[in-house]
Structures are given as structure tokens and as C-alpha cells.
Amino acid sequence: ENVLALFCGVAMDAMQIVSRTEATVLAVELNPIAVECAKRGKRMLQRNKAVRCAGAADRLDIVEGDALEVMSTLEHTSFDRILAPRPKEGNMDGDLGKGDGGVDFLRAMLPLLKDQGECHWYDFAADWELPNCERTRKGIESVCDELGFQMDVIHLAKVGSIAKKQHRVCLDFR
């Protein structure tokens, strides 16, 4: 698989993927300090004898940059899987009824998925939005419709808590 890991921070998810599978991962992060930590982790991965899949570090590319700018340089339909933990937009966040809820990121990344490729879109949801997360679903469906893509939800799960009555959710779709 060819995997795109956006907003990867210190690239923990990306390193887990390459060390446990034969996938190739492109990890993108804007924060230069997080990128340096990710590169240090990659160097440690090269020396780790417990890695299940040989050559893991060679299959991990870490890019420092704005996700929208990096995605604009990538070939369409080139990824089997995209991990996208949408950045929180502060008081302009979509879950507060303001902001775009990551629409610009969706518009840039959906064309990068191969046919039947999967996206793992992490979003924020208030207690009252669970379990269906209609705002998240409708936002993704709207961009898919705009781009002429069909969206099939594979799975939706609450994956963590970020504050009282505020949760991180993951919507898996193709």
C-alpha cells in the first residue's frame, strides 16, 4: 500500500505502519520541531531490531510543509490510504458552527485516493453529535458530491476525548 499521513506530528502512526506492514508512507507535518522529532524517530527505526518488516525506515518519507501545498504537488490517484487527523481550528472550528471543518483539506486530498482507496478522517465531535456525527458525514459527503466521488462509510468510532463532552472521532470511508 501507498499511504499518505497528513498532519503527522512526530510521525508515530507512520512509523507504526511501516514497521508492521510492507506499506510505503509519506508523512506530512508543518511544525519543524515535530518534523525533527519524526526524523529522529526514523533514525531510531533504522536501528530497531524488533521491527517486523525489514526496510521500514526506507519506506518512510517525512516532509516538512503545509499539507495543502504538499498535496498540490502529488499525483492524483496515487494513494491506497490516507490518514487525516483534521487540525483543530480554534474558535473558527466547524464543530462550533464556524470555519469550514476541514473542507479545503478534503478538496485537496480526495483526488489523491485511488479508486476504492480508504480515508481515515479524524474529526472533533461534541457529545450531542454522537453516535452518528452527521456534521462530519455531511461535510465529507458534500465535498465528495462536489468532486463527483461516491462516498461509502466503512466505520465510525469515537477514538478519544479531548475535553469534557468533546471527542475525537474517526470516520473511515472510501
Side-chain angles (χ1 to χ4, degrees), residues 86-101 124:
R86 179 178 71 80
K88 192 109 170 106
E89 299 171 297
N91 65 1
M92 288 299 294
D93 208 348
D95 57 348
L96 299 175
K98 304 174 186 176
D100 73 1
F124 304 94

Side-chain angles (χ1 to χ4, degrees), residues 12-174:
M12 290 305 298
D13 290 340
M15 283 187 256
Q16 288 291 324
I17 292 167
V18 296
S19 67
R20 295 170 185 248
T21 72
E22 297 293 331
T24 298
V25 179
L26 173 62
V28 180
E29 174 56 46
L30 179 62
N31 181 330
I33 295 168
V35 169
E36 182 54 41
C37 291
K39 288 178 179 179
R40 189 177 315 136
K42 180 178 175 176
R43 288 190 299 272
M44 291 170 51
L45 189 62
Q46 288 171 320
R47 296 188 305 261
N48 188 337
K49 294 181 182 4
V51 171
R52 293 182 188 169
C53 297
D58 296 332
R59 291 180 280 104
L60 173 60
D61 288 319
I62 300 166
V63 174
E64 179 181 338
D66 179 272
L68 290 172
E69 291 174 13
V70 172
M71 286 188 287
S72 73
T73 68
L74 301 174
E75 186 177 332
H76 284 199
T77 65
S78 57
F79 293 95
D80 301 289
R81 186 175 308 275
I82 298 177
L83 282 67
R86 179 178 71 80
K88 192 109 170 106
E89 299 171 297
N91 65 1
M92 288 299 294
D93 208 348
D95 57 348
L96 299 175
K98 304 174 186 176
D100 73 1
V103 167
D104 287 338
F105 295 114
L106 285 164
R107 283 184 184 129
M109 75 179 196
L110 290 177
L112 301 176
L113 274 174
K114 291 179 181 177
D115 187 39
Q116 295 300 304
E118 293 184 14
C119 180
H120 307 281
W121 178 255
Y122 293 81
D123 203 354
F124 304 94
D127 271 354
W128 60 269
E129 294 181 280
L130 300 174
N132 295 326
C133 299
E134 286 302 315
R135 178 186 48 81
T136 299
R137 285 177 191 257
K138 287 180 182 176
I140 295 168
E141 285 174 351
S142 172
V143 174
C144 285
D145 288 346
E146 174 186 319
L147 298 175
F149 298 135
Q150 180 180 342
M151 176 187 137
D152 296 316
V153 174
I154 300 166
H155 186 249
L156 173 67
K158 182 170 82 170
V159 295
S161 178
I162 61 166
K164 187 175 184 177
K165 298 185 179 185
Q166 288 288 313
H167 306 279
R168 191 74 156 162
V169 296
C170 181
L171 181 75
D172 301 330
F173 67 94
R174 63 170 56 107

